[in-house]
Amino acid sequence: MPNCPMCQSEYTYEDRGLFVCPECGHEWSENEETDEGLVVKDSNGNVLQDGDSVTVIKDLKVKGASGAIKQGTKVKNIRLVEGDHNIDCKVDGFGPMKLKSEFVKKL
Ligand SMILES: [Zn+2]
């Protein structure tokens, strides 16, 4: 049984296709949580979307590259992905790479 999403109680049980939490009374279905999709926000809390353009807000060191991606670098046509580095993009002069959304700002 999954823990209750409202109060994290472990004492949940299943009843007619719904999960029920006896501690806070919350009822939910198994599929509910997977409907939210991927939400990626920039450093200001704005929601990013595939195809957006962003600016890098601080110098970012790149493994294997001689320089860093400079603050203020524009990155066009981003793609959102799951994970720690949640922006897949191409940076001029560096090629394809993944960035963290907390280090960019939507244009
Ligand atoms: Zn609960």
Side-chain angles (χ1 to χ4, degrees):
M1 290 289 129
N3 287 0
C4 173
M6 301 300 277
C7 70
Q8 305 306 321
S9 167
E10 296 173 13
Y11 304 106
T12 55
Y13 60 92
E14 195 172 357
D15 183 28
R16 283 163 287 156
L18 288 175
F19 293 116
V20 182
C21 173
E23 298 206 29
C24 72
H26 184 57
E27 295 182 358
W28 72 103
S29 73
E30 201 169 359
N31 299 325
E32 214 166 274
E33 282 176 282
T34 57
D35 289 345
E36 288 177 30
L38 183 63
V39 177
V40 174
K41 290 180 181 171
D42 73 1
S43 56
N44 291 328
N46 292 315
V47 175
L48 297 170
Q49 290 177 326
D50 284 351
D52 275 352
S53 296
V54 297
T55 314
V56 176
I57 60 163
K58 59 173 273 188
D59 290 359
L60 300 174
K61 284 198 178 134
V62 181
K63 264 187 208 162
S66 51
I69 300 174
K70 288 270 186 285
Q71 180 185 351
T73 301
K74 282 181 192 172
V75 183
K76 287 180 197 161
N77 199 17
I78 62 167
R79 203 168 63 83
L80 306 178
V81 293
E82 302 264 4
D84 181 30
H85 290 66
N86 45 13
I87 294 175
D88 201 359
C89 60
K90 254 186 200 170
V91 180
D92 287 346
F94 291 91
M97 67 178 53
K98 287 187 173 165
L99 300 174
K100 290 187 181 184
S101 60
E102 66 203 79
F103 297 139
V104 304
K105 193 174 70 179
K106 190 172 176 171
L107 282 176

